[in-house]
Amino acid sequence: MAVFLCVASAAVLAAPTLFFPADSPTEPKLGLLAIGTVLFALGTIRIRTEHATSPIDGDVTGD
């Protein structure tokens, strides 16, 4: 799930460069930038929490 969010954010962030001419208004570009940033943040948070496991007493090894 998290990988798909990150891929979607990359697609959204690349869209202004791929589909809009260089002299187009900046408002749509900023909107897509905001959406892509939120998707990337959600994907990153999801990746960080997917594999997080809480240590069980007795399994922790340390110096």
Side-chain angles (χ1 to χ4, degrees), residues 3-46:
V3 173
F4 296 121
L5 285 171
C6 290
V7 169
S9 73
V12 170
L13 290 172
T17 305
L18 297 173
F19 299 118
F20 294 138
D23 59 348
S24 66
T26 58
E27 288 83 15
K29 293 178 184 179
L30 291 175
L32 288 171
L33 177 67
I35 293 169
T37 302
V38 168
L39 285 175
F40 184 72
L42 290 174
T44 304
I45 291 168
R46 178 76 181 182

